[in-house]
């Protein structure tokens, strides 16, 4: 109604949503949201009581499965704390999922993976605005993580037996202010260069789309300087 003008009133919007199968509203508030007009739609015959029951049933079924109506002592979720959520078993599973979800587009001369046994004495440079900035690593709607569990590329690479240097080049994803000398200096002194680029929520989020897929600001220039 507000953005696409598909409907004209909240009542019409509620009816259209219900008929389309929508059963949950992300509302702006409790006083005047779309689904508060469902009783009016029901009274005027725009929807039926059976349709309303069909829409509500899966919501309460899910809530019951989550134990929301049980006493806390009966709900196993109420006893979970960080010792369970961040247990070594769960952290190892998360690491395994991350490793198995990598998409390798190109691997010239078998450069990857970097093996610890090949790195002693090697100089490794990690550069770019995503190299050591925990804030930009998380996408839109990401949970607030525990800082001790965040491994930036720089922090992760520093666990390897190599001499690791770091140069951001630009401090944030928009990369409007770029220090070429910083990146070139780190890259020229390294045997291996890891370049960390991207967009992040500073550049694109819900309702903030981009016009093209190019790297923001001077990031492409940073990449070219790092690999020359």
């Amino acid at each position: 109604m507000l953005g696409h003008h598909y409907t004209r009133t909240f009542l019409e919007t509620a009816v259209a949503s219900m008929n389309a199968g929508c059963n949950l509203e992300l509302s702006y508030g409790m006083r005047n949201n779309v689904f508060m007009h469902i009783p009016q739609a029901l009274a005027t015959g725009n929807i039926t009581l059976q349709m309303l029951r069909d829409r509500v049933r899966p919501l309460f079924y899910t809530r019951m499965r989550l134990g929301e109506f049980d006493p806390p002592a009966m709900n196993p979720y109420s006893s979970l704390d960080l010792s369970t959520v961040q247990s070594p078993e769960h952290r190892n599973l998360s690491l395994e999922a991350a490793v198995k979800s990598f998409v390798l587009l190109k691997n010239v001369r078998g450069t990857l993976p970097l093996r610890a046994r090949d790195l002693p004495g090697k100089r490794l440079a990690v550069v770019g605005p995503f190299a050591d900035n925990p804030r930009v690593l998380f996408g839109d709607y990401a949970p607030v993580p525990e800082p001790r569990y965040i491994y930036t590329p720089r922090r992760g690479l520093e666990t390897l037996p190599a001499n690791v240097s770091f140069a951001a080049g630009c401090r944030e994803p928009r990369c409007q202010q770029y220090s070429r000398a910083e990146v070139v200096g780190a890259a020229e002194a390294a045997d291996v260069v890891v370049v960390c680029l991207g967009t992040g929520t500073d550049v694109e989020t819900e309702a903030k789309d981009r016009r093209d897929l190019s790297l923001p600001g001077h990031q492409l220039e940073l990449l070219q300087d790092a690999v020359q």
Side-chain angles (χ1 to χ4, degrees):
M1 182 185 77
L2 300 176
H4 300 283
H5 308 291
Y6 179 75
T7 55
R8 292 167 294 179
T9 66
F10 275 17
L11 174 60
E12 185 184 352
T13 306
V15 172
S17 301
M18 293 281 286
N19 283 322
C22 181
N23 66 352
L24 189 64
E25 177 187 2
L26 178 59
S27 64
Y28 291 99
M30 290 301 298
R31 290 181 177 272
N32 189 27
N33 60 49
V34 170
F35 275 7
M36 291 297 284
H37 293 75
I38 288 176
Q40 183 183 356
L42 189 63
T44 55
N46 294 116
I47 63 172
T48 66
L49 185 59
Q50 185 58 48
M51 177 189 290
L52 180 58
R53 286 172 173 161
D54 290 342
R55 298 293 179 267
V56 168
R57 185 177 292 110
L59 297 177
F60 281 89
Y61 175 67
T62 301
R63 294 183 66 185
M64 287 176 181
R65 291 183 64 194
L66 290 171
E68 289 189 6
F69 302 104
D70 297 333
M74 291 178 56
N75 187 342
Y77 297 106
S78 64
S79 63
L80 295 178
D81 57 20
L82 278 181
S83 66
T84 301
V85 176
Q86 292 286 7
S87 66
E89 179 185 7
H90 290 171
R91 292 177 60 197
N92 289 336
L93 182 60
S94 296
L95 178 61
E96 180 184 355
V99 170
K100 290 184 176 179
S101 64
F102 286 169
V103 178
L104 192 61
L105 299 181
K106 199 171 186 179
N107 194 16
V108 178
R109 294 192 298 274
T111 302
L112 299 174
L114 297 176
R115 295 180 176 85
R117 65 175 182 268
D118 300 329
L119 291 176
K122 292 290 184 70
R123 297 167 301 175
L124 194 154
V126 54
V127 303
F130 284 73
D132 197 37
N133 186 343
R135 184 185 63 81
V136 302
L137 298 181
F138 296 89
D140 208 2
Y141 292 97
V144 178
E146 283 280 315
R148 57 181 167 155
Y149 296 121
I150 300 175
Y151 275 78
T152 63
R154 178 188 182 182
R155 182 183 175 191
L157 291 168
E158 284 179 343
T159 65
L160 298 175
N163 182 12
V164 178
S165 61
F166 161 68
C170 44
R171 300 299 172 182
E172 40 79 33
R174 294 186 185 280
C175 202
Q176 298 298 319
Q177 295 181 325
Y178 168 52
S179 174
R180 181 177 185 273
E182 181 184 9
V183 171
V184 171
E188 288 181 344
D191 301 303
V192 178
V193 180
V194 179
V195 187
C196 305
L197 308 174
T199 54
T201 55
D202 289 354
V203 177
E204 54 183 341
T205 64
E206 179 186 8
K208 190 199 294 184
D209 297 329
R210 304 180 65 219
R211 293 177 180 270
D212 59 66
L213 297 178
S214 302
L215 288 167
H218 294 281
Q219 285 196 36
L220 178 58
E221 184 182 349
L222 187 158
L223 174 62
Q224 292 169 334
D225 292 336
V227 300
Q228 286 179 355

